[in-house]
Amino acid sequence: MPFGWTINPYRGCSHACVYCFARPTHSYLELDQGKDFDQEIIVKVNVADVLRKELTKPSWGHHPVALGTNTDPYQRAEGRYALMPGIIDALADSGTPFSILTKGSLLRRDLDRLAEAAKRVPVDLAMSIAVYDDELQQSVEPGTPTTKARLATVTAVREHGLDCGVFLMPILPYLTDTRAHLDEALRQAKEAGATSVLYTALHLKPGVKEWYYLWLGREHPELLPKYRSMYGRGTYAPKEYRAWLAARIKPLIRAHRLERGQEDPLTGGVRSSALGMLRDGEGERRAVERGALERGAPGGGPADRVAPEEIAPESALVSLGVQPTLF
């Protein structure tokens, strides 16, 4: 089973992004999805101790672990509780690859530790920076560091020798989807040193939609009819809008010489560079890219190039001297 593994040291998020898809998870705690999500933060103070015990279990397969896929591990509370250093050390000490997606410039505090961890396990980092208009950014994401501070964090990551993607998401219809805004966003991301960019249009789950509409009614009431038309029947922007957005942004990504990043479909976070890496017979990791495996044609003819998922591990991987495990 292709399980996706995540760690969330905090529940709720003081970044208070009005569009945050994680808001409904606060209802599991019998708290509301609005102000409680922004202000009632649950802190898992013993998370590192529990994690170390979990990672020592013989059943643990050392699969990539994602942080920042539900609520932000570098939100304001992290400055007080400092849970992330223990989490980073536990993962690296156990040989577990991990990724971090954050809006928090506090990530810079741990960059030396992350650079050391990256010598032992794959570490993938990304900053979420969606809005490049200062007034709009502070309105829609009132608890977050400024766009400038987050871009400076991207630069700091790169100065530590690590790649750093930028999640240009969500793109807000009629607010941040103009060609001028997208072009400036990509220019600034490239200038900061971003190694890839991932984008997607806003989606609004039940519960999130109502909270976002309250904000929209206060700040941009003229857009409410358009949003109700777009999102009245579902969570996602219409397929036609998404196609229009792709046609607009893809040439800009190419023009700024940025690679299009990849999202982990199982966790919603950064796709770990550990995926597609297998141990060889001597215990060394080696990358196996899509289409890179080969099998001989019948009768000793030329090898056919096939995708890894098309080959049974017992046949192709063993024949290559590669164990069908991540680590």
Side-chain angles (χ1 to χ4, degrees), residues 108 111 151-161 192:
R108 297 174 71 169
L111 285 179
L151 288 167
T153 304
V154 173
T155 302
V157 172
R158 301 290 288 126
E159 288 172 347
H160 278 74

Side-chain angles (χ1 to χ4, degrees), residues 44-94:
K44 302 176 184 178
V45 293
N46 63 338
V47 63
D49 294 336
V50 174
L51 177 61
R52 283 191 177 275
K53 292 177 182 177
E54 295 290 326
L55 295 173
T56 59
K57 291 182 177 180
S59 59
W60 174 237
H62 299 85
H63 307 295
V65 173
L67 292 111
T69 62
N70 189 53
T71 57
D72 201 310
Y74 282 105
Q75 59 179 287
R76 291 176 182 174
E78 174 62 14
R80 174 178 177 181
Y81 291 97
L83 302 180
M84 283 299 290
I87 293 172
I88 293 166
D89 290 348
L91 292 168
D93 291 347
S94 70

Side-chain angles (χ1 to χ4, degrees), residues 121-188:
V121 297
V123 174
D124 298 275
L125 304 176
M127 291 294 298
S128 176
I129 318 175
V131 184
Y132 293 74
D133 174 289
D134 291 343
E135 183 177 353
L136 177 61
Q137 185 265 322
Q138 287 299 301
S139 176
V140 76
E141 305 170 344
T144 61
T146 64
T147 298
K148 181 178 180 180
R150 282 182 265 172
L151 288 167
T153 304
V154 173
T155 302
V157 172
R158 301 290 288 126
E159 288 172 347
H160 278 74
L162 301 170
D163 287 350
C164 189
V166 166
F167 273 42
L168 185 61
M169 53 198 298
I171 293 173
L172 308 177
Y174 305 105
L175 290 170
T176 63
D177 60 356
T178 66
R179 188 180 302 276
H181 186 275
L182 295 173
D183 188 46
E184 180 62 13
L186 293 167
R187 184 194 69 77
Q188 291 189 39

Side-chain angles (χ1 to χ4, degrees), residues 278-286 317 320-323 327:
L278 304 168
R279 276 194 190 277
D280 62 21
E282 298 178 352
E284 294 297 323
R285 300 187 188 102
R286 58 182 288 189
L317 297 181
L320 288 170
V322 178
Q323 299 173 12
F327 292 93

Side-chain angles (χ1 to χ4, degrees), residues 164-223:
C164 189
V166 166
F167 273 42
L168 185 61
M169 53 198 298
I171 293 173
L172 308 177
Y174 305 105
L175 290 170
T176 63
D177 60 356
T178 66
R179 188 180 302 276
H181 186 275
L182 295 173
D183 188 46
E184 180 62 13
L186 293 167
R187 184 194 69 77
Q188 291 189 39
K190 180 67 175 181
E191 187 177 76
T195 47
S196 64
V197 168
L198 185 68
Y199 74 90
T200 191
L202 174 71
H203 64 272
L204 295 171
K205 293 181 179 180
V208 181
K209 184 182 297 185
E210 292 79 3
W211 190 250
Y212 183 81
Y213 281 1
L214 284 174
W215 171 83
L216 197 66
R218 290 194 308 270
E219 301 295 330
H220 300 279
E222 74 283 1
L223 295 180

